[in-house]
Amino acid sequence: MLLLLLLLFEGVLCPGESTADPQAPGPPHPAGEEPLNFRVIQIFSFANHSWAHTQGSGWLGELQTHGWDSVLGTIRFLWPWSQGNFSKEELKNLQALFQLYFHGFTREVQAFAGQFQFEYPFELQISAGCRIRAGEASESFFKGAYQGTDFLSLQGNSWQPSPGAGSRAQNVCRVLNRYRDIKEIVQGLLSNTCPRFLAGLLEAGKAELERQVKPEAWVSKGTTPSPGHLLLVCHISGFHPKPVWVMWMRGEQEQPGTRQGDVLPNADGTWYLRVTLDVATGETTGLYCRVKHSSLGGHDIIIHWDGYSILLILICLTVTVTLIMLIVLEFWFKKQSSSCYILFRLVPDLAMGADTQDPRGSAHQLCSAQESWAKNRYLKKWKTSLSQL
Ligand SMILES: *[C@@H]1O[C@H](CO)[C@@H](O)[C@H](O)[C@H]1NC(C)=O
Ligand SMILES: *[C@@H]1O[C@H](CO)[C@@H](O)[C@H](O)[C@H]1NC(C)=O
């Protein structure tokens, strides 16, 4: 059966682990200890019996290395080193295999949708790949999901329904397991092609993978969780590699209420993380956010919450003082201009010195010029400092 064959091919290309474990707070691992995996992710969206959309991508750990152009049927190499150490010939063969696979898989699923009780519209996701750890045999993975929920996986020598996937998955696996050849092809791709490709990729992409970028960190106040409480937020951004350790602390005490969000990707390939702490308003004294990351060489980043409140107070003070000064200046200018007129009125000779018929007029001009010059000069200065805040 073509479906099975295709499934096998897909497996061959390297079944992989689907999602990374949520990162529990813990000391960062040196990058080298992480087993790295390569996986191919395929997403098939079936709108009805005649319309389907496919997407494919290749991932080295958290880093996307390959795309799939579903119109041209070609592999897109996203990095100069994305070809690993495979020859052009070998890559062309893989590409041809994927073309056949994407096309055939879609057709077969549509043909068997009724028998497998797939209900339109539905989505199938497949993650297949392998991982290697220095000095150990490689492991491979092949997982399938239906409508976003785990559906089946390849376990050793057989297709197994995922726990809770029900009779539909059992039925599909029963059919798939009859096709021993397909299973063997998949296993071959997973346990031979994939680790070879991964090893070459790791070598070629070493510089990118080992790139160390220091995080920036800052704190802010989050949405107040409840009256009388504050949500302290520690932001960490722009770091690479992904493992990072962040904790709200007081003295040497880790605050157990620390909550860590997901580590999210920035557009430039670095990472972002938000770590919060819910505290009673009066209990923020001495709290600080501590960040450990491999790029920091043991010099943890420490940001004090008090520093943030002091900064806030400083900003408020500066703004207030600035406003007061502006008001005072405004007054001063008004006074200044009236005394200017008084001066000219009292000492008409001074104004008469200028060759003009209208001493009042010239005095007025002189005063306005002086006034606007001073006003501009000071107001501009204050406005600039205000806007810089
Ligand atoms: C199938 O779905 C596509 C995309 O939603 C739609 O354009 C098309 O008209 C549908 N065809 C049938 C036969 O329902
Ligand atoms: C690529 O590199 C890996 C590991 O260094 C090696 O096993 C493999 O033979 C190399 N060449 C090819 C074409 O796979």
Side-chain angles (χ1 to χ4, degrees):
M1 186 157 119
L2 183 54
L3 167 64
L4 295 174
L5 249 168
L6 290 169
L7 273 173
L8 288 175
F9 278 128
E10 163 188 24
V12 178
L13 274 173
C14 299
E17 184 199 26
S18 63
T19 48
D21 296 331
Q23 299 225 326
H29 319 277
E33 280 180 22
E34 292 279 295
L36 266 167
N37 65 62
F38 179 75
R39 62 194 198 276
V40 173
I41 292 180
Q42 305 130 57
I43 302 172
F44 301 86
S45 309
F46 297 88
N48 50 48
H49 67 274
S50 62
W51 191 97
H53 178 66
T54 62
Q55 285 171 278
S57 54
W59 298 77
L60 180 56
E62 304 282 351
L63 184 68
Q64 188 180 357
T65 48
H66 301 81
W68 178 255
D69 188 319
S70 54
V71 177
L72 298 176
T74 52
I75 299 173
R76 285 189 288 121
F77 297 94
L78 304 183
W79 297 90
W81 45 267
S82 286
Q83 309 194 346
N85 65 350
F86 273 28
S87 63
K88 283 215 157 54
E89 192 64 24
E90 206 159 1
L91 291 169
K92 243 174 88 183
N93 291 342
L94 279 175
Q95 183 168 286
L97 185 67
F98 271 111
Q99 283 169 2
L100 180 71
Y101 166 70
F102 276 114
H103 182 69
F105 182 83
T106 308
R107 265 205 347 228
E108 291 297 316
V109 168
Q110 282 165 333
F112 283 84
Q115 184 184 331
F116 288 159
Q117 295 168 281
F118 291 154
E119 288 154 21
Y120 292 106
F122 64 89
E123 191 153 278
L124 300 181
Q125 292 158 296
I126 292 168
S127 172
C130 57
R131 65 169 131 191
I132 46 180
R133 199 195 291 261
E136 287 177 30
S138 65
E139 298 167 43
S140 55
F141 316 88
F142 188 112
K143 292 180 183 178
Y146 170 72
Q147 303 291 46
T149 307
D150 285 348
F151 190 69
L152 57 73
S153 61
L154 183 60
Q155 298 291 336
N157 214 14
S158 73
W159 298 100
Q160 297 281 343
S162 301
S167 59
R168 184 159 32 202
Q170 285 167 8
N171 183 23
V172 173
C173 288
R174 197 176 311 120
V175 175
L176 287 180
N177 279 323
R178 282 187 213 137
Y179 295 84
R180 197 169 298 164
D181 294 352
I182 293 177
K183 234 171 353 197
E184 278 168 13
I185 297 170
V186 175
Q187 282 165 338
L189 280 173
L190 290 177
S191 58
N192 177 4
T193 313
C194 184
R196 264 194 311 122
F197 185 64
L198 173 53
L201 206 56
L202 285 176
E203 193 56 40
K206 207 178 166 86
E208 175 61 32
L209 294 168
E210 290 178 358
R211 185 169 66 118
Q212 293 283 332
V213 188
K214 287 183 187 175
E216 275 179 49
W218 67 97
V219 291
S220 71
K221 208 170 71 161
T223 315
T224 306
S226 53
H229 276 243
L230 274 179
L231 190 68
L232 316 191
V233 186
C234 185
H235 308 258
I236 307 93
S237 188
F239 55 93
H240 188 275
K242 193 179 183 184
V244 67
W245 180 94
V246 185
M247 187 58 73
W248 277 103
M249 302 185 70
R250 181 182 278 125
E252 287 304 305
Q253 207 65 45
E254 294 180 6
Q255 299 299 299
T258 300
R259 294 275 169 275
Q260 185 160 354
D262 291 328
V263 181
L264 304 172
N266 283 325
D268 63 357
T270 63
W271 300 94
Y272 169 83
L273 174 65
R274 193 174 177 271
V275 174
T276 60
L277 182 67
D278 178 354
V279 285
T281 312
E283 291 173 12
T284 59
T285 317
L287 285 172
Y288 64 96
C289 173
R290 180 173 210 133
V291 182
K292 291 174 189 281
H293 187 259
S294 52
S295 64
L296 297 170
H299 301 289
D300 300 355
I301 295 180
I302 287 177
I303 300 192
H304 290 270
W305 177 257
D306 297 340
Y308 172 73
S309 4
I310 288 170
L311 187 70
L312 265 192
I313 292 169
L314 274 181
I315 289 175
C316 286
L317 266 180
T318 316
V319 170
T320 316
V321 168
T322 308
L323 284 178
I324 292 173
M325 303 270 304
L326 278 178
I327 293 167
V328 169
L329 276 176
E330 189 74 29
F331 260 105
W332 182 72
F333 284 129
K334 283 212 176 117
K335 233 178 128 193
Q336 183 84 350
S337 26
S338 42
S339 56
C340 182
Y341 294 125
I342 292 166
L343 182 75
F344 277 102
R345 248 179 260 132
L346 287 179
V347 195
D349 287 352
L350 193 66
M352 292 297 271
D355 64 333
T356 166
Q357 265 78 22
D358 179 6
R360 280 284 177 87
S362 87
H364 181 255
Q365 272 169 17
L366 210 63
C367 289
S368 324
Q370 183 202 19
E371 185 186 357
S372 64
W373 171 80
K375 227 178 187 170
N376 273 343
R377 194 181 138 164
Y378 285 99
L379 284 182
K380 257 194 200 138
K381 220 164 146 187
W382 285 102
K383 271 183 190 151
T384 318
S385 13
L386 249 186
S387 66
Q388 275 165 356
L389 287 172

